[in-house]
């Protein structure tokens, strides 16, 4: 059995590792907010954004008002609000997409029913916001996306339980076929599956929870006739054959060993003396914990199968945020300090459990126990503070490891692992998912393929060249947040000048579809309620 000790490299990190010359630049050219900062702050007033090249409009999900905000972005340096379409009569909007068929005057909105246990709807509107039709789908439709032709719409029905877990709907994926004004709905369910047939897939709800209830589809990316669906809490990706409306396989994503070289993390927000206010020290080191990937966002792209090959294959890219189930009726989270560690695996367990070491780290309480005992011989944390690339079979070909935390530590040392709901903060997210990579969008600039990764807590955008999935390089970093501005939920006087907080949804607009002929990245920021347009440029343009 592998034994875990206190890391010797405490307090060390390699500042030079990810300080390569910047080749991609994100220049924020505009930012809009529908409402005052006091109204929208931390109220999901800008969750998901999509851009339509035909009308040159942005469509933004406003969870505060249960609306779709429509902006004129013909001049991306000065977008203006056209109208706000309320969907309150149907429920709570979660996601929006624009039909890519240039002849289709249509957008689709995923709307959750007001009451848990009721099925949700997809509301179809024309691009001016007029109602066209609605289709009943599964429980809690959380995200939707059209295929490339606009002939089909896929919906991730998350099926989350209520707070006391007395109602736990089944998760599913809806496929809506679109032919003119006709909409035909099919639902792919998981009711035929059992846990024994899904090795490596995390099925861990309360006693009596079925596989169909436990699987919670979160985000979808489509590559040709195949859909890749993240089930975040289950640490898995479901592959679906869209044409046959059938599950092809469910891919377990595994974990990252933070005790291994290149995968170091900072695990404590109280490094100095273990007490409140004892943070402020960057300690990126190799700790005895494995991170479950648990991705939220996912995107797909095509690349050569190997160096120099003319044969191309599909790869999927994940933002490994991590997410626990914390409800009144059930929780799978706990701090290391509260657990009993197996002394044969952790000889210095009592020291590890101190707050200045690993005691404050939030870990998964359903994993790593000695069979039949309440002792842990392995620790697992939520997310990996990284993004990953997999081939279409689910084999990991790249993981960014400690890249994100190390870059922030080297370039923003006074605001390392800061929070988005509190200004001028340092190290207060180290015990819980760090910078929190949540969303990911892939775009092409001058023949190179880039991944744009939204860091929810730190509020920055990481850019990496993923043209060769086995030779990934960091290319840039965007930040439209003033880290020196102090604010809090109780004192928002300065929050308006803090900039963008909590990037939730990313939308890449290639140059040939952009209003100003330049590639754009549009970001919806959930905490600040801002939607920001960046011009994307590289050294050659």
């Amino acid at each position: 059995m592998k034994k875990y000790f206190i890391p010797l490299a405490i307090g060390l990190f390699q500042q030079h590792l990810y300080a390569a010359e910047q080749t991609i630049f994100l220049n924020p050219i505009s930012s809009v907010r529908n409402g005052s900062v006091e109204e929208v702050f931390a109220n999901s007033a800008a969750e998901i954004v999509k851009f339509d090249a035909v009308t040159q409009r942005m469509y933004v999900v406003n969870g505060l008002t249960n609306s779709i905000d429509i902006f004129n972005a013909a001049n991306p340096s000065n977008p203006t609000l056209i109208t706000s379409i309320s969907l309150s009569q149907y429920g709570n909007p979660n996601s929006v997409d624009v039909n890519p068929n240039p002849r289709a005057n249509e957008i689709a909105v995923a709307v959750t029913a007001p009451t848990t246990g009721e099925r949700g709807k997809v509301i179809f509107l024309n691009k001016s916001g007029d109602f066209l039709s609605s289709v009943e789908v599964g429980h809690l439709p959380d995200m939707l996306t059209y295929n490339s032709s606009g002939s089909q719409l896929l919906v991730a029905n998350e099926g989350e339980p209520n707070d006391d877990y007395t109602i736990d709907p089944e998760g599913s994926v809806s496929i809506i076929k679109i032919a003119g004004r006709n909409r035909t709905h099919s639902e792919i369910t998981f009711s035929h599956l059992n846990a024994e047939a899904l090795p490596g897939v995390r099925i861990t709800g309360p006693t009596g929870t079925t596989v169909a209830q436990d699987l919670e589809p979160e985000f979808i990316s489509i590559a040709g006739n195949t859909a890749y669906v993240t089930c975040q809490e289950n640490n898995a990706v479901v592959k679906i054959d869209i044409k046959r409306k059938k599950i092809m396989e469910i891919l377990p994503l595994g974990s990252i060993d933070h005790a291994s070289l290149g995968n170091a993390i900072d695990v404590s927000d109280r490094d100095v003396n273990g007490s409140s206010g004892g943070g402020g020290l960057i300690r990126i080191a190799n700790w005895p914990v494995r991170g479950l990937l648990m991705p939220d966002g996912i995107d797909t792209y095509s690349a050569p199968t190997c160096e120099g090959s003319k044969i191309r294959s599909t790869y999927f890219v994940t933002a490994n945020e991590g997410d626990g189930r914390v409800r009144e009726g059930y929780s799978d989270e706990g701090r290391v300090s509260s657990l009993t560690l197996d002394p044969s695996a952790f000889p210095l367990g009592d020291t590890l459990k101190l707050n200045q070491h690993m005691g404050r780290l939030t870990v998964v309480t359903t994993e790593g126990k000695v069979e039949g005992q309440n002792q842990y011989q392995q620790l697992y944390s939520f997310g990996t503070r990284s993004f990953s690339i997999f081939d279409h079979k689910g084999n990991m070909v790249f993981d960014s490891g400690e890249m994100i935390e190390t870059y922030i530590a080297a370039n923003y040392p006074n605001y390392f692992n800061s929070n988005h709901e509190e200004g001028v903060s340092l190290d207060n997210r180290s015990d819980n998912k760090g910078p929190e990579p949540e969303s990911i969008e892939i775009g092409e600039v001058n023949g190179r393929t880039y991944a744009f990764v939204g860091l929810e807590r730190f509020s920055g955008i990481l850019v990496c060249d993923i043209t060769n999935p086995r030779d990934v390089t960091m290319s840039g970093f965007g930040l439209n947040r003033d880290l020196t501005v102090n604010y809090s939920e109780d004192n928002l006087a300065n929050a308006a000048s803090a900039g963008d907080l909590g990037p939730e949804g990313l939308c890449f607009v290639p140059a040939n579809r952009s209003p100003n002929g330049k590639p754009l990245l549009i970001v919806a920021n959930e905490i600040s309620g801002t939607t920001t347009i960046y011009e994307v440029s590289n050294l050659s343009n």
Side-chain angles (χ1 to χ4, degrees):
M1 177 184 292
K2 185 175 182 178
K3 295 187 178 183
Y4 296 105
F5 298 90
I6 305 293
L8 296 177
I10 289 177
L12 301 180
F13 59 92
Q14 301 298 319
Q15 295 193 20
H16 65 279
L17 283 180
Y18 305 108
E21 181 181 1
Q22 187 167 2
T23 58
I24 286 288
F25 298 87
L26 299 181
N27 176 35
I29 59 174
S30 64
S31 190
V32 291
R33 178 191 284 120
N34 185 10
S36 68
V37 67
E38 290 81 9
E39 293 170 326
V40 306
F41 187 86
N43 281 316
S44 301
E47 294 185 80
I48 302 298
V49 58
K50 293 296 179 180
F51 174 78
D52 175 45
V54 176
T55 62
Q56 298 185 338
R57 293 177 174 180
M58 299 188 305
Y59 298 87
V60 181
V61 174
N62 188 330
L64 172 63
T65 60
N66 292 328
S67 303
I68 297 297
D69 294 337
I70 304 177
F71 293 89
N72 181 351
N75 178 2
S77 296
N78 185 31
T80 56
L81 181 66
I82 298 173
T83 187
S84 187
I85 307 300
S86 175
L87 298 175
S88 296
Q89 62 179 308
Y90 305 106
N92 315 107
N94 290 321
S95 183
V96 64
D97 200 12
V98 179
N99 193 314
N101 183 340
R103 296 186 299 274
N105 181 16
E106 173 187 277
I107 69 170
V109 186
V111 180
T112 298
T115 305
T116 303
E118 294 181 9
R119 286 181 169 268
K121 289 183 170 64
V122 170
I123 306 299
F124 292 94
L125 309 172
N126 67 22
K127 293 177 182 179
S128 297
D130 300 317
F131 178 85
L132 296 177
S133 63
S134 68
V135 173
E136 184 177 86
V137 289
H139 298 274
L140 206 162
D142 193 45
M143 184 268 177
L144 50 70
T145 183
Y146 285 96
N147 66 351
S148 60
S149 67
S151 61
Q152 291 180 307
L153 181 77
L154 271 68
V155 188
N157 303 307
E158 190 171 7
E160 282 189 332
N162 60 357
D163 282 342
D164 60 7
Y165 246 104
T166 56
I167 301 174
D168 187 5
E170 294 185 355
S172 64
V173 175
S174 291
I175 299 177
I176 300 175
K177 184 178 179 180
I178 300 167
R181 295 184 179 181
N182 296 322
R183 309 283 183 270
T184 305
H185 172 251
S186 302
E187 188 172 4
I188 297 174
T189 68
F190 307 114
S191 56
H192 62 290
L193 300 175
N194 60 76
E196 291 73 24
L198 300 173
V201 177
R202 186 170 175 262
I203 306 296
T204 56
T207 301
T209 301
T210 66
V211 169
Q213 289 173 316
D214 204 76
L215 287 170
E216 297 183 2
E218 187 91 23
F219 210 96
I220 304 173
S221 182
I222 299 174
N225 194 48
T226 303
Y228 295 80
V229 185
T230 57
C231 289
Q232 185 171 25
E233 291 83 355
N234 311 104
N235 195 34
V237 166
V238 181
K239 285 179 64 176
I240 293 175
D241 184 321
I242 299 173
K243 186 175 181 180
R244 298 171 62 197
K245 300 180 177 62
K246 184 177 180 180
I247 296 171
M248 300 166 65
E249 56 185 329
I250 300 182
L251 305 171
L253 298 181
S255 61
I256 295 295
D257 186 3
H258 293 303
S260 65
L261 185 66
N263 293 318
I265 59 173
D266 188 326
V267 297
S268 178
D269 59 341
R270 299 183 184 177
D271 307 84
V272 178
N273 54 27
S275 63
S276 179
L281 177 65
I282 299 173
R283 290 200 304 167
I284 299 175
N286 294 115
W287 295 93
V289 61
R290 300 187 72 94
L292 296 179
L293 276 69
M294 293 182 164
D296 186 339
I298 187 172
D299 206 349
T300 51
Y301 75 113
S302 173
T305 55
C306 59
E307 189 73 31
S309 174
K310 294 183 179 180
I311 301 174
R312 301 178 71 85
S313 183
T314 296
Y315 295 83
F316 64 89
V317 190
T318 60
N320 305 324
E321 178 194 26
D323 196 19
R325 289 169 166 152
V326 182
R327 301 182 181 277
E328 293 180 8
Y330 177 80
S331 174
D332 61 2
E333 288 188 2
R335 295 193 187 272
V336 172
S337 60
S338 68
L339 307 182
T340 301
L341 303 183
D342 181 359
S344 64
F346 300 97
L348 298 178
D350 289 343
T351 304
L352 279 174
K353 288 170 65 174
L354 295 176
N355 285 344
Q356 58 264 46
H357 296 317
M358 287 184 65
R360 294 278 298 164
L361 181 65
T362 303
V363 291
V364 188
T365 56
T366 59
E367 314 294 330
K369 285 185 180 181
V370 179
E371 187 173 356
Q373 301 181 40
N374 197 33
Q375 288 187 340
Y376 290 81
Q377 60 185 357
Q378 176 65 64
L379 297 173
Y380 292 89
S381 57
F382 292 93
T384 57
R385 312 183 188 192
S386 67
F387 77 95
S388 303
I389 303 177
F390 296 83
D391 66 19
H392 69 281
K393 296 180 180 180
N395 301 308
M396 182 184 289
V397 298
F398 171 81
D399 182 80
S400 65
E402 62 199 43
M403 176 190 291
I404 297 173
E405 275 196 315
T406 300
Y407 178 84
I408 294 173
N411 292 274
Y412 305 94
N414 295 325
Y415 308 99
F416 173 76
N417 280 353
S418 60
N419 201 359
H420 54 7
E421 295 184 3
E422 179 184 1
V424 194
S425 56
L426 169 62
D427 201 33
N428 59 1
R429 291 297 299 177
S430 290
D431 61 320
N432 192 8
K433 297 187 283 189
E436 212 159 313
E438 177 176 16
S439 47
I440 193 159
E441 179 88 345
I442 295 175
E444 187 173 305
V445 181
N446 288 346
R448 305 292 295 179
T449 304
Y450 295 92
F452 300 87
V453 185
L455 308 179
E456 181 179 12
R457 297 288 174 166
F458 189 74
S459 301
I461 308 293
L462 175 78
V463 188
C464 286
D465 187 330
I466 61 170
T467 306
N468 180 347
R470 293 172 175 81
D471 184 20
V472 174
T473 57
M474 184 173 172
S475 302
F477 194 84
L479 185 68
N480 193 40
R481 173 185 181 180
D482 188 340
L483 293 160
T484 68
V485 174
N486 201 11
Y487 62 89
S488 69
E489 288 193 77
D490 297 325
N491 183 7
L492 296 175
N494 300 321
S497 58
D500 293 340
L501 305 169
E504 179 77 12
L506 309 182
C507 177
F508 180 80
V509 183
N512 63 359
R513 299 180 63 82
S514 168
N516 65 1
K518 300 177 181 178
L520 305 174
L521 183 72
I522 309 177
V523 182
N525 300 282
E526 185 176 28
I527 300 300
S528 58
T530 50
T531 301
T532 296
I533 301 178
Y534 293 86
E535 277 187 358
V536 183
S537 61
N538 63 6
L539 293 178
S540 62
N541 65 1

